[in-house]
Amino acid sequence: MMERARKIYREEGVEALSMRRLAHELGISTMAIYSYFANKQALLDGLWIEIFEALTAELLDASSDQRGPRKVLEAHVRRSMDFWERHPEQFRMIYLSQSSASLSEIGEAQKPVYNRLLGLVRERVAACAPDGVEADETLIRRQCDLLTTKLMGYLVLTIGLQRYPLHDREALREQIVQEVVRDAVEGLSAGAASSSRTEAQLSPTN
């Protein structure tokens, strides 16, 4: 049932996916579908949840044998790329479909899973702050956004624009991994240094 729903969504968009259409595709009654999903929203939640749960599980596994925050973040970025490159149809369904719903439209059931994934990214970026320094939350979020921008840009190009003549895909992929990790480490370090200078300037002198 989920596989057929995923196929309709992927190939025709969210508007084409309905309980009646899914029942027709499977050769069962519409009421039979409702015994598994209360409504279309619940069906969409199920599609997204299974994908993000699988991604989160892989990201946790990728870092299990890594030592140090920088290596953990590097493994995280690599596995993110690996996951979506192994499942390009799921990437297209979520991020490239013209009818893709936004997070707020997907439903409350899906948010905890998605937020857990975002929390994992934040945790791993924040861990790259200098020892003994608690990075400013705004700076952490900015580094998370930069990481996601580069990662998604690469995936949109390689999965969504396959006709683009990349000169050296593997070299580009590796450079993005290294830049994302470097930017996170250097960005948090620079931010911590700037905050320290500001605090020193504001401290009363004897």
Side-chain angles (χ1 to χ4, degrees):
M1 190 178 296
M2 293 293 289
E3 179 61 32
R4 188 61 60 90
R6 192 183 303 115
K7 185 175 185 295
I8 296 171
Y9 189 169
R10 180 177 65 243
E11 295 180 354
E12 302 178 46
V14 67
E15 290 86 357
L17 180 59
S18 67
M19 309 299 260
R20 180 174 297 181
R21 168 70 183 280
L22 184 57
H24 176 74
E25 292 267 334
L26 295 170
I28 60 178
S29 69
T30 304
M31 291 306 298
I33 300 292
Y34 280 104
S35 68
Y36 290 94
F37 301 99
N39 49 40
K40 178 178 176 178
Q41 186 64 63
L43 179 59
L44 289 173
D45 283 343
L47 288 174
W48 282 51
I49 285 171
E50 66 175 7
I51 294 172
F52 286 126
E53 283 184 336
L55 173 58
T56 300
E58 288 210 15
L59 293 175
L60 290 169
D61 177 72
S63 62
S64 61
D65 60 347
Q66 300 298 323
R67 295 293 179 268
R70 185 164 184 156
K71 287 295 184 181
V72 168
L73 183 59
E74 182 177 331
H76 179 105
V77 175
R78 288 188 192 281
R79 186 62 66 90
S80 294
M81 289 177 163
D82 291 343
F83 180 87
W84 293 120
E85 287 176 331
R86 282 186 282 110
H87 305 288
E89 72 288 347
Q90 295 181 3
F91 183 86
R92 294 188 189 99
M93 182 184 76
I94 293 177
Y95 296 113
L96 299 181
S97 170
Q98 293 182 352
S99 301
S100 290
S102 69
L103 177 60
S104 62
E105 294 169 328
I106 285 299
E108 292 300 319
Q110 189 262 122
K111 288 183 180 179
V113 179
Y114 190 66
N115 288 336
R116 184 187 179 202
L117 179 59
L118 294 179
L120 185 61
V121 176
R122 184 219 167 274
E123 173 188 314
R124 290 175 169 179
V125 168
C128 291
D131 290 340
V133 174
E134 185 174 347
D136 178 74
E137 187 63 27
T138 299
L139 182 59
I140 293 173
R141 296 293 181 185
R142 185 182 307 133
Q143 293 304 320
C144 289
D145 289 345
L146 287 171
L147 181 154
T148 302
T149 298
K150 283 196 172 186
L151 178 60
M152 294 298 292
Y154 167 82
L155 292 169
V156 168
L157 180 65
T158 56
I159 295 176
L161 302 173
Q162 293 183 341
R163 292 183 179 179
Y164 182 82
L166 281 173
H167 174 66
D168 188 334
R169 176 170 174 162
E170 289 304 314
L172 174 64
R173 191 181 195 275
E174 181 61 25
Q175 182 172 344
I176 289 174
V177 171
Q178 296 303 323
E179 286 186 0
V180 162
V181 175
R182 181 202 65 201
D183 291 348
V185 173
E186 293 182 357
L188 293 177
S189 297
S194 177
S195 297
S196 297
R197 287 195 298 271
T198 300
E199 290 176 4
Q201 292 170 356
L202 295 176
S203 297
T205 56
N206 293 327

